[in-house]
Amino acid sequence: MQFNELRNKIVDELSTVGHRQVLLAVAGIIGVHFVWAWLKWFGLRVKNAGKRKRKREERQKMIDIVRNSHVQSETYAEAVKYGKHKHHLSEETIDSITNLPTKALLGQLKSGQLLAVDVLHAFQHKALECDKDLNFISTPIVEAEAAAQTCDAAVKKGPLHGLPVSIKESIGVKGYDCTLGCANWIDRPWEEDSVVVKVLKRQGAIPFMKTNVPQTLVSTGVCSNPIYGLTKNPHDVTRATGGSSGGEGSAVAAGASIVGLGTDVGSSIRVPCAFCGVYGLKPSWDRISNKGNHPQMSGNKHLQFCVGPMGRDVDSLVVIMKALLCPDMFELDSYIPPIPFRDEIYEGLRPLRIGYYWNDGGGDAMPAVQRAVQLAKSVLEKKGHLLLPWTPPDVQTKAFEYFHRIALADQLEETLLLSYGDKRDTCIAHHIFLKIPYFIRSVLAVLVKPVDGLMSKFLYASKPFSSLYEWFSYGKEADAWKAEFQTAWQSQGLDAVICPTTSCTALPLGDMADSVGIERFSWLFNLLNYPTGIIPVTKVTADDEEKLKQYKPNSKYEKVVKRGCEGSEGLPVTVQCATLPFQEELCLRIMKELEQGLVKMEN
Ligand SMILES: CCCCCCCC/C=C\CCCCCCCC(=O)NCC(=O)O
């Protein structure tokens, strides 16, 4: 039969069928499609629930293996019975080891005064004990035991000889999943260590646990996911740790880890440092390799991943940076510029010009945070530096839009896909807003503006790009703005700025800590790609609490944050120090001077 004949026959046949039947057939096909999609989604949800349960059981088994490999939390006799007991450390020894400053601990490990296995056991013990209340471990790394033994037997000692380090869940460790709290990534163990883990191991460090993250990594308030649950703040378990490196923040603050690795695309190292009161460094893009980590959000070249250290003191950040910035890392990832750690900058004595602010154009930070910036200013002045009041230009206008539009360029599609067919944690519930067509969002933006200016700005800034041409042009515009910002910075002759990390201290868990905008003072330095360090400088005082009562919020966001700061006496308050790109050593120098000045003031 010829093609034309066949076509005519089909047309004739169809013309005998009524419109109703055609409509019914189309509706049927669509219905079957939806039912099929729903069944697939439902099947995935059921499967994922099973995977999560199994993963939690696996985690408990790993914890038991570590617990039974030494004697700390079980009885000595029991550990001997298991035949795995190697050392028995008293509680005093555990405390004395885990309380040592990083430099002293490394010194004692290198001199042989302390064995790597003892140090490992001390930190494992502390971590397992603290984890019962805080839940920061996503999984212990059981190979740490053998690594510590090898370390003790080694003749050649690396710069991090025997130093136990914790690793954020999203960072690749051979044999372990990087789930980001999403069941879809369970049972996909990494085939090799990421570059940073390889380098740390080669330098003698012992990765001993992976730490918890918020589901998908896109939450700066609460650190929670449906696999491992909620991580709590050691300073107050009713308050959030911040995210996404919240497991690291909690572990370091509890004294269960001396130093660890976090990551930061939009404040993820710095908010947990601020809420948990620990030190941290977000380096410039490409100073430290991100190769071999979970690829979430790494396709957006206008906003890149930074891997950085979080630790107990400035020295812990410095030892990690020095160890990572070595020929091994430059060889394993040839996209990293081979710039070793520059001691001459870190140890420099030149007096610096440092700008400071606690209002970036979006309102004053809370009183305790303002006082922290003032305190840092006076300490640095005593060190001989010139401190100048400076308001960075366009932060709440142009920069706000650039950062958020670029960060949300894919409308969080990649993020939403990660948790497709999975239970969604409340900390990322608001992501679903991005599924509403932009036209409706822009109408909402107009409607909510009188009551919630920040939400309105968010809604506007979530505008998708209509073409690649628009995306490229927008990138150029953002780059031009960054150049203007640099000119404004250099016209003041600034070497650095100090400012709040967040406008508040750790917020209560729940809706409050999930509220958008917590990263208000920190995302700017992701957009600019400036290295930024966090230093705990003080604690909230009764006087700060009194001043909080007088604080006049100018927006709904400030009202929420003010309420969240009530009753926060004793919580840590940090400041942020930023320098120009690739000036990590200068940033660390200022942090070190501030740390020393604060210690001197206390004594
Ligand atoms: C009203 C619209 C609701 C939109 C909800 C969007 C909420 C997200 C806001 C900005 C997204 C920017 C990305 C921020 C990533 C922050 C955490 C981070 O740094 N993660 C990466 C990491 O862990 O390394």
Side-chain angles (χ1 to χ4, degrees), residues 70 72 89 93-95 97-98 117-127:
H70 50 102
Q72 318 314 334
L89 305 176
T93 312
I94 290 168
D95 281 347
I97 293 176
T98 54
V117 276
D118 285 340
V119 173
L120 173 68
H121 288 176
F123 276 99
Q124 282 175 328
H125 171 74
K126 180 110 190 191

Side-chain angles (χ1 to χ4, degrees), residues 168 217 220 244 263-268 305 407-408 430 455 459:
K168 183 176 177 177
L217 302 187
T220 51
S244 64
T263 61
D264 192 316
V265 168
S267 311
S268 272
F305 251 93
L408 302 174
H430 53 293
M455 182 54 77
L459 288 163

Side-chain angles (χ1 to χ4, degrees), residues 151-169:
C151 199
D152 283 331
V155 182
K156 211 173 147 233
K157 295 180 177 173
L160 299 181
H161 180 81
L163 187 74
V165 292
S166 48
I167 307 283
K168 183 176 177 177
E169 209 258 2

